[in-house]
Amino acid sequence: MTGYTATVTVRLKHGVLDPEAETTARALERLGFELEDLRSADRFEIDLDAADADAARERAGEMADRLLANPTIHDYEVAVEARE
Amino acid sequence: MTVSVIQFGGSNCDRDAVAALTHLGVDAERVWHEDGLPADTDGVVIPGGFSYGDYLRAGAMAARTPIVAEVREAAEAGTPVLGVCNGAQIGCESGLTEGAFTTNRSARFQCEHVHLRVERADTPWTAAYDEGAVIEVPIAHGEGRFEIRADRLETLEAENRVLFRYCDADGNVTDAANPNGSTANVAGVLGARDSVAVMMPHPERATLPDVGGTDGQGVLRAFAE
């Protein structure tokens, strides 16, 4: 078994309204920043032990499917790195 | 009929639901989620509140508790189940109903009275109303915007499973009458069976005459049958 960190990034699907991101963008503009657009995402870093990177990725993907993401509004991606 | 009103840490409309049901002569009791669903449960209310502090997404944690698995089994067996506000979020998160309730278009918590158009009168939840009737009930939520995949909305509407839509006082379903940006002004939907329903507005807060308005009584009368 090897130690891995699986990073799950959960984003709203393209086209789903994101009022929090819009509010954040407006607040940045009030501070004088220039920007075109702003998207927010949730990132989960999960330390786990697995036989190999594929097994770690699969388990993290299952976590996203069953809890971390809501398939009605979210897409997600998983990245896996060996832990030191 | 004994209605179990499920209480999670952070539920805050459980007592209101029991009071409203009791007012209508329905036997109702609060059930702590860790104690499981009582064997004599003939109906279930998942009440409003902020279960698990709305961590991750409103309703996400509560939807994955063992008692909600029991509620799903009971719902499949025909037991009437009503999810209100946080209970509606839990209903969608658990797959009892389709779609999701997410951040209001305003990005604010909104606490106000709204009008709803009764889309169907042939369900237990709406038998007390006429189809097309307009009722006034309160909302109190920050994450009440109904979202659903476009193809699933088509199916939902084709199967006539939209129960309530936000409308103006005359029953017109308009964008101006949509308090939170919900897709197609949807305020409440039915599950796979007509005996399962979720809605963001609070019928239990429009049941006792002393607290302003009784238009919500009809929804809870489903449990009085």
Side-chain angles (χ1 to χ4, degrees):
Chain A
M1 300 290 268
T2 312
Y4 294 94
T5 297
T7 302
V8 179
T9 305
V10 178
R11 293 189 176 82
L12 285 172
K13 281 185 201 284
H14 186 71
V16 174
L17 188 69
D18 188 347
E20 289 181 7
E22 286 175 12
T23 305
T24 308
R26 279 201 301 277
L28 285 169
E29 284 167 348
R30 271 201 300 278
L31 290 172
F33 292 103
E34 289 179 19
L35 63 153
E36 286 297 313
D37 198 7
L38 181 151
R39 290 166 294 282
S40 63
D42 288 326
R43 171 174 149 144
F44 302 89
E45 296 172 2
I46 304 159
D47 294 343
L48 45 81
D49 293 330
D52 55 37
D54 283 345
R57 184 175 293 109
E58 192 180 324
R59 203 186 310 160
E62 198 177 327
M63 292 178 192
D65 286 335
R66 293 191 52 192
L67 177 65
L68 302 177
N70 179 330
T72 298
I73 52 174
H74 291 137
D75 287 325
Y76 69 85
E77 55 197 52
V78 181
V80 171
E81 265 185 47
R83 227 168 342 128
E84 294 296 309
Chain B
M1 172 79 75
T2 299
V3 175
S4 295
V5 178
I6 299 173
Q7 184 191 22
F8 297 98
S11 298
N12 67 6
C13 299
D14 41 307
R15 286 178 173 84
D16 296 11
V18 170
L21 288 164
T22 304
H23 177 75
L24 298 177
V26 178
D27 182 29
E29 59 173 20
R30 284 186 294 143
V31 173
W32 176 241
H33 75 96
E34 287 182 338
D35 295 338
L37 207 57
D40 64 348
T41 298
D42 300 314
V44 174
V45 172
I46 312 178
F50 301 86
S51 57
Y52 294 85
D54 279 352
Y55 290 166
L56 194 62
R57 298 176 300 276
M61 302 294 179
R64 288 151 179 92
T65 53
I67 198 169
V68 170
E70 288 186 80
V71 170
R72 286 173 58 168
E73 281 175 28
E76 280 162 26
T79 303
V81 177
L82 175 68
V84 173
C85 198
N86 189 225
Q89 296 160 337
I90 293 167
C92 282
E93 279 280 345
S94 68
L96 271 170
T97 47
E98 285 205 56
F101 292 102
T102 188
T103 313
N104 292 350
R105 178 166 58 183
S106 65
R108 291 186 181 143
F109 190 92
Q110 289 173 246
C111 191
E112 59 203 49
H113 278 249
V114 297
H115 292 100
L116 303 179
R117 192 175 77 186
V118 178
E119 298 295 294
R120 276 182 63 182
D122 60 341
T123 79
W125 316 105
T126 49
Y129 310 111
D130 293 326
E131 191 177 315
V134 177
I135 63 173
E136 186 183 334
V137 286
I139 56 167
H141 59 243
E143 297 175 47
R145 174 170 56 97
F146 185 69
E147 281 285 343
I148 188 167
R149 275 171 32 193
D151 58 323
R152 297 306 307 165
L153 176 66
E154 242 173 70
T155 308
L156 195 75
E157 292 185 323
E159 293 175 359
N160 219 359
R161 285 192 283 139
V162 176
L163 192 57
F164 295 110
R165 291 186 208 263
Y166 298 107
C167 65
D168 64 20
D170 299 320
N172 302 303
V173 174
T174 63
D175 190 53
N178 188 342
N180 53 25
S182 286
T183 302
N185 284 47
V186 171
V189 294
L190 295 166
R193 285 169 170 267
D194 289 355
S195 50
V196 175
V198 302
M199 59 191 294
M200 287 308 296
H202 287 272
E204 82 285 5
R205 293 190 191 177
T207 292
L208 301 174
D210 292 345
V211 295
T214 56
D215 281 3
Q217 285 190 0
V219 175
L220 300 182
R221 282 198 195 281
F223 293 113
E225 296 309 306

PDB file of all heavy atoms in Angstrom, chain B residues 30 41 50 61 78 82 115 141 168-169 183 191 198 209 217:
ATOM      1  N   ARG B  30     -42.021  14.221  17.539  1.00  0.00           N
ATOM      2  CA  ARG B  30     -40.656  14.419  17.071  1.00  0.00           C
ATOM      3  C   ARG B  30     -39.859  13.138  17.281  1.00  0.00           C
ATOM      4  O   ARG B  30     -40.011  12.461  18.293  1.00  0.00           O
ATOM      5  CB  ARG B  30     -39.991  15.560  17.822  1.00  0.00           C
ATOM      6  CG  ARG B  30     -40.478  16.919  17.340  1.00  0.00           C
ATOM      7  CD  ARG B  30     -39.705  18.029  17.989  1.00  0.00           C
ATOM      8  NE  ARG B  30     -39.953  18.083  19.404  1.00  0.00           N
ATOM      9  CZ  ARG B  30     -39.029  18.389  20.323  1.00  0.00           C
ATOM     10  NH1 ARG B  30     -37.797  18.652  19.958  1.00  0.00           N
ATOM     11  NH2 ARG B  30     -39.337  18.434  21.592  1.00  0.00           N
ATOM     12  N   THR B  41     -44.936   4.362  12.484  1.00  0.00           N
ATOM     13  CA  THR B  41     -44.946   5.555  11.633  1.00  0.00           C
ATOM     14  C   THR B  41     -45.864   5.374  10.428  1.00  0.00           C
ATOM     15  O   THR B  41     -45.682   4.441   9.645  1.00  0.00           O
ATOM     16  CB  THR B  41     -43.514   5.853  11.126  1.00  0.00           C
ATOM     17  OG1 THR B  41     -42.682   6.126  12.246  1.00  0.00           O
ATOM     18  CG2 THR B  41     -43.504   7.049  10.171  1.00  0.00           C
ATOM     19  N   PHE B  50     -31.427  23.801   9.705  1.00  0.00           N
ATOM     20  CA  PHE B  50     -30.064  23.867   9.158  1.00  0.00           C
ATOM     21  C   PHE B  50     -29.311  22.615   9.601  1.00  0.00           C
ATOM     22  O   PHE B  50     -28.316  22.698  10.321  1.00  0.00           O
ATOM     23  CB  PHE B  50     -29.356  25.146   9.626  1.00  0.00           C
ATOM     24  CG  PHE B  50     -30.080  26.382   9.218  1.00  0.00           C
ATOM     25  CD1 PHE B  50     -31.105  26.894   9.996  1.00  0.00           C
ATOM     26  CD2 PHE B  50     -29.779  27.020   8.024  1.00  0.00           C
ATOM     27  CE1 PHE B  50     -31.822  28.019   9.606  1.00  0.00           C
ATOM     28  CE2 PHE B  50     -30.483  28.139   7.626  1.00  0.00           C
ATOM     29  CZ  PHE B  50     -31.496  28.647   8.421  1.00  0.00           C
ATOM     30  N   MET B  61     -25.580  16.234   4.297  1.00  0.00           N
ATOM     31  CA  MET B  61     -25.196  15.289   5.352  1.00  0.00           C
ATOM     32  C   MET B  61     -26.411  14.497   5.834  1.00  0.00           C
ATOM     33  O   MET B  61     -26.362  13.266   5.937  1.00  0.00           O
ATOM     34  CB  MET B  61     -24.579  16.032   6.533  1.00  0.00           C
ATOM     35  CG  MET B  61     -23.364  16.854   6.182  1.00  0.00           C
ATOM     36  SD  MET B  61     -21.986  15.816   5.680  1.00  0.00           S
ATOM     37  CE  MET B  61     -20.788  17.089   5.310  1.00  0.00           C
ATOM     38  N   GLY B  78     -45.172   3.355   0.181  1.00  0.00           N
ATOM     39  CA  GLY B  78     -46.415   4.120   0.113  1.00  0.00           C
ATOM     40  C   GLY B  78     -46.680   5.054   1.276  1.00  0.00           C
ATOM     41  O   GLY B  78     -47.692   5.765   1.296  1.00  0.00           O
ATOM     42  N   LEU B  82     -43.335  14.184   3.514  1.00  0.00           N
ATOM     43  CA  LEU B  82     -43.284  15.601   3.123  1.00  0.00           C
ATOM     44  C   LEU B  82     -41.973  16.201   3.615  1.00  0.00           C
ATOM     45  O   LEU B  82     -41.655  16.113   4.802  1.00  0.00           O
ATOM     46  CB  LEU B  82     -44.467  16.362   3.746  1.00  0.00           C
ATOM     47  CG  LEU B  82     -44.476  17.882   3.519  1.00  0.00           C
ATOM     48  CD1 LEU B  82     -44.729  18.209   2.043  1.00  0.00           C
ATOM     49  CD2 LEU B  82     -45.527  18.557   4.393  1.00  0.00           C
ATOM     50  N   HIS B 115     -46.616  33.853  -3.043  1.00  0.00           N
ATOM     51  CA  HIS B 115     -47.809  33.193  -3.566  1.00  0.00           C
ATOM     52  C   HIS B 115     -47.388  31.960  -4.348  1.00  0.00           C
ATOM     53  O   HIS B 115     -46.370  31.973  -5.050  1.00  0.00           O
ATOM     54  CB  HIS B 115     -48.590  34.155  -4.471  1.00  0.00           C
ATOM     55  CG  HIS B 115     -49.203  35.288  -3.721  1.00  0.00           C
ATOM     56  ND1 HIS B 115     -48.632  36.547  -3.683  1.00  0.00           N
ATOM     57  CD2 HIS B 115     -50.316  35.357  -2.957  1.00  0.00           C
ATOM     58  CE1 HIS B 115     -49.384  37.334  -2.924  1.00  0.00           C
ATOM     59  NE2 HIS B 115     -50.402  36.639  -2.473  1.00  0.00           N
ATOM     60  N   HIS B 141     -35.353  30.956   3.391  1.00  0.00           N
ATOM     61  CA  HIS B 141     -34.227  30.124   2.946  1.00  0.00           C
ATOM     62  C   HIS B 141     -33.167  30.941   2.203  1.00  0.00           C
ATOM     63  O   HIS B 141     -33.462  31.987   1.633  1.00  0.00           O
ATOM     64  CB  HIS B 141     -34.712  28.973   2.049  1.00  0.00           C
ATOM     65  CG  HIS B 141     -35.446  29.421   0.806  1.00  0.00           C
ATOM     66  ND1 HIS B 141     -36.767  29.121   0.574  1.00  0.00           N
ATOM     67  CD2 HIS B 141     -35.041  30.140  -0.262  1.00  0.00           C
ATOM     68  CE1 HIS B 141     -37.131  29.631  -0.593  1.00  0.00           C
ATOM     69  NE2 HIS B 141     -36.103  30.261  -1.111  1.00  0.00           N
ATOM     70  N   ASP B 168     -47.679  35.401  -8.949  1.00  0.00           N
ATOM     71  CA  ASP B 168     -48.125  36.635  -8.296  1.00  0.00           C
ATOM     72  C   ASP B 168     -49.510  36.395  -7.671  1.00  0.00           C
ATOM     73  O   ASP B 168     -50.050  35.290  -7.754  1.00  0.00           O
ATOM     74  CB  ASP B 168     -48.109  37.820  -9.282  1.00  0.00           C
ATOM     75  CG  ASP B 168     -49.086  37.653 -10.442  1.00  0.00           C
ATOM     76  OD1 ASP B 168     -50.037  36.848 -10.322  1.00  0.00           O
ATOM     77  OD2 ASP B 168     -48.898  38.336 -11.468  1.00  0.00           O
ATOM     78  N   ALA B 169     -50.068  37.425  -7.062  1.00  0.00           N
ATOM     79  CA  ALA B 169     -51.317  37.263  -6.304  1.00  0.00           C
ATOM     80  C   ALA B 169     -52.475  36.812  -7.196  1.00  0.00           C
ATOM     81  O   ALA B 169     -53.459  36.252  -6.719  1.00  0.00           O
ATOM     82  CB  ALA B 169     -51.671  38.572  -5.601  1.00  0.00           C
ATOM     83  N   THR B 183     -35.727  27.408 -11.352  1.00  0.00           N
ATOM     84  CA  THR B 183     -36.027  26.988 -12.715  1.00  0.00           C
ATOM     85  C   THR B 183     -37.534  26.790 -12.865  1.00  0.00           C
ATOM     86  O   THR B 183     -38.159  26.092 -12.055  1.00  0.00           O
ATOM     87  CB  THR B 183     -35.298  25.657 -13.016  1.00  0.00           C
ATOM     88  OG1 THR B 183     -33.898  25.858 -12.833  1.00  0.00           O
ATOM     89  CG2 THR B 183     -35.575  25.192 -14.436  1.00  0.00           C
ATOM     90  N   GLY B 191     -42.372  13.194  -5.729  1.00  0.00           N
ATOM     91  CA  GLY B 191     -41.403  12.141  -5.989  1.00  0.00           C
ATOM     92  C   GLY B 191     -41.953  11.152  -6.998  1.00  0.00           C
ATOM     93  O   GLY B 191     -42.872  11.454  -7.764  1.00  0.00           O
ATOM     94  N   VAL B 198     -41.837  17.420  -1.826  1.00  0.00           N
ATOM     95  CA  VAL B 198     -40.968  18.374  -1.133  1.00  0.00           C
ATOM     96  C   VAL B 198     -41.317  19.779  -1.620  1.00  0.00           C
ATOM     97  O   VAL B 198     -41.759  19.964  -2.743  1.00  0.00           O
ATOM     98  CB  VAL B 198     -39.455  18.117  -1.370  1.00  0.00           C
ATOM     99  CG1 VAL B 198     -39.065  16.719  -0.933  1.00  0.00           C
ATOM    100  CG2 VAL B 198     -39.050  18.376  -2.812  1.00  0.00           C
ATOM    101  N   PRO B 209     -54.004  29.757  13.076  1.00  0.00           N
ATOM    102  CA  PRO B 209     -54.606  31.067  12.758  1.00  0.00           C
ATOM    103  C   PRO B 209     -53.886  32.224  13.459  1.00  0.00           C
ATOM    104  O   PRO B 209     -53.838  33.330  12.924  1.00  0.00           O
ATOM    105  CB  PRO B 209     -56.045  30.928  13.258  1.00  0.00           C
ATOM    106  CG  PRO B 209     -56.297  29.462  13.357  1.00  0.00           C
ATOM    107  CD  PRO B 209     -54.989  28.803  13.628  1.00  0.00           C
ATOM    108  N   GLN B 217     -52.644  24.934   5.508  1.00  0.00           N
ATOM    109  CA  GLN B 217     -53.307  23.786   6.146  1.00  0.00           C
ATOM    110  C   GLN B 217     -53.565  22.635   5.185  1.00  0.00           C
ATOM    111  O   GLN B 217     -53.427  21.468   5.551  1.00  0.00           O
ATOM    112  CB  GLN B 217     -54.643  24.231   6.753  1.00  0.00           C
ATOM    113  CG  GLN B 217     -54.509  25.027   8.035  1.00  0.00           C
ATOM    114  CD  GLN B 217     -55.864  25.235   8.712  1.00  0.00           C
ATOM    115  OE1 GLN B 217     -56.894  24.781   8.220  1.00  0.00           O
ATOM    116  NE2 GLN B 217     -55.849  25.939   9.836  1.00  0.00           N
TER     117      GLN B 217
END
